[in-house]
C-alpha cells in the first residue's frame, strides 16, 4: 500500500519508540495542515502531535505562496512542538534541522542524491521535491509552540505549467513509486534525532558542517533577491546562526538571514 495510512504510520512510530508522531491527527482532506496544527496548538495540543492529510485544498508555502497538494501524491504533514526551554531567537534554526532530516530520509529511502537549497528546500536533479514552512507562536517573549510544516512531492507525475521547470517528484526522479508511509516515519525519526540533540545542546546549532556538506548552493554564484533589491555573490555556506554567508563582489562577506529573502542560481532555480 503506497498511499498514506494512519495505522501503518502509527505502527512504525511505535516500533521506533518515537515521541514525534505518537499522536497523529489523520485527515482525508484539509485546507492546510499548518493552519489546522496551529489551531490545535492554540487549543493545548501536545508536543509531538502530527497532523497528516492526504490532500490540502489551500496548502501554504513560504513568502505567501501556495503549495500544490493533490490527493495521494505527497506527504502533507505538520508537527506541533513545544520546546519549552528554547529561546525564541533559536527557533528559526528548527527550519534547518527539518531540512537535514527530510534530506537524509529521502536519500536513505530512495537512493536519490537529494541536496538542500538554503534555507530549506530539498532538491533532486536541480528541481524541488520538498518545501518546509515553520511557524511559531510566542507570548511575553517565550515560545508557546512551533509548527513545522513539511510538504514532499512523492508520487505525483504532472505539475502545473508554471512549476514544470522548478518542481519534480521522487517518483519522477526514481522511476518508480515511493512508499509514503515509510518516508513519513523516516522523516519523524530523523527529525526527532536532530531535534533532541538540538534541545540537549540548549539550541546550539552543532550541525554546521553537516548542513553545509548537503548544501547545493555552496561555493556557487548566487543571486540574493529581497523584494526589489538583488545582488550577486559566491555562497560560502551557513554559520552557526543559520545565516548564509555570501562573498560579494567587493569581497565583503554578507550574512543573509532567511525571512523574505530568495536565493537563486545565476540562471535559474539552483
Ligand atoms: C515552501 O514554500 O517551500 C514551503 C512549503 C510548505 C508546504 C507544507 S505542506 C504541509 C504544511 N501545510 C501547509 O499549508 N504548508 C506546509
Amino acid at each position: 500500500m503506497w498511499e498514506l495510512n494512519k495505522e501503518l504510520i502509527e505502527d512504525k512510530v511505535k516500533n521506533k519508540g518515537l515521541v514525534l508522531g505518537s499522536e497523529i491527527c489523520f485527515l482525508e482532506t484539509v485546507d492546510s495542515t499548518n493552519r489546522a496544527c496551529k489551531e490545535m496548538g492554540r487549543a493545548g495540543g501536545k508536543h509531538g502531535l502530527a497532523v497528516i492529510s492526504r490532500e490540502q485544498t489551500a496548502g501554504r508555502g513560504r513568502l505567501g505562496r501556495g503549495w500544490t497538494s493533490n490527493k495521494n501524491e505527497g506527504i502533507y504533514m505538520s508537527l506541533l512542538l513545544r520546546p519549552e526551554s528554547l529561546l525564541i531567537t533559536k527557533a528559526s534554526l528548527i527550519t534547518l534541522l527539518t531540512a537535514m532530516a527530510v534530506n537524509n530520509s529521502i536519500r536513505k529511502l530512495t537512493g536519490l542524491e537529494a541536496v538542500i537549497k538554503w534555507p530549506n528546500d530539498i532538491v533532486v536533479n536541480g528541481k524541488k521535491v520538498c518545501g518546509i514552512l515553520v511557524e511559531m507562536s510566542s507570548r511575553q517573549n517565550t515560545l508557546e509552540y512551533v509548527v513545522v510544516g513539511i510538504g514532499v512531492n512523492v508520487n505525483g507525475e504532472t505539475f502545473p505549467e508554471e512549476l514544470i521547470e522548478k518542481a519534480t517528484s521522487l517518483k519522477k526522479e526514481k522511476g518508480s513509486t515511493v512508499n509514503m508511509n515509510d518516508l513519513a516515519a523516516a522523516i519523524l525519526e530523523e527529525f526527532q534525532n536532530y531535534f533532541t540533540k538540538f534541545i540537549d545542546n540548549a539550541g546550539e546549532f552543532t550541525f554546521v558542517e553537516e548542513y553545509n556538506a548537503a548544501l547545493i548552493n555552496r561555493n556557487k554564484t548566487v543571486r540574493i533577491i529581497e523584494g526589489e533589491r538583488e545582488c550577486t555573490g559566491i555562497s560560502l555556506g551557513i554559520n552557526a546562526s543559520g545565516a548564509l554567508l555570501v562573498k560579494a563582489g567587493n569581497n565583503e562577506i554578507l550574512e543573509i538571514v532567511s525571512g523574505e529573502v530568495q536565493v537563486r542560481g545565476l540562471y535559474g532555480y539552483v
Side-chain angles (χ1 to χ4, degrees), residues 11 24 26 41 47 50 61 79 93 108 129 132 140 163 172-173 177 182 203 212 222-223 225 249 253-254:
D11 279 356
I24 295 177
F26 192 88
H47 171 81
L79 303 175
L93 292 164
K108 280 185 190 161
V129 292
I132 293 159
Q140 289 164 348
L163 291 182
K172 277 182 85 173
E173 299 310 309
T177 309
D182 285 348
N212 282 338
V222 291
R223 287 185 299 140
I225 306 161
I253 307 290
L254 309 173

Side-chain angles (χ1 to χ4, degrees), residues 32-34 56 59-62 67 77-78 128 131-132 149-151:
S32 153
T33 56
N34 262 34
Q56 293 185 122
R60 290 157 37 182
R62 281 184 70 224
W67 184 258
M77 171 162 79
S78 299
K128 178 163 169 172
I132 293 159
I150 301 168

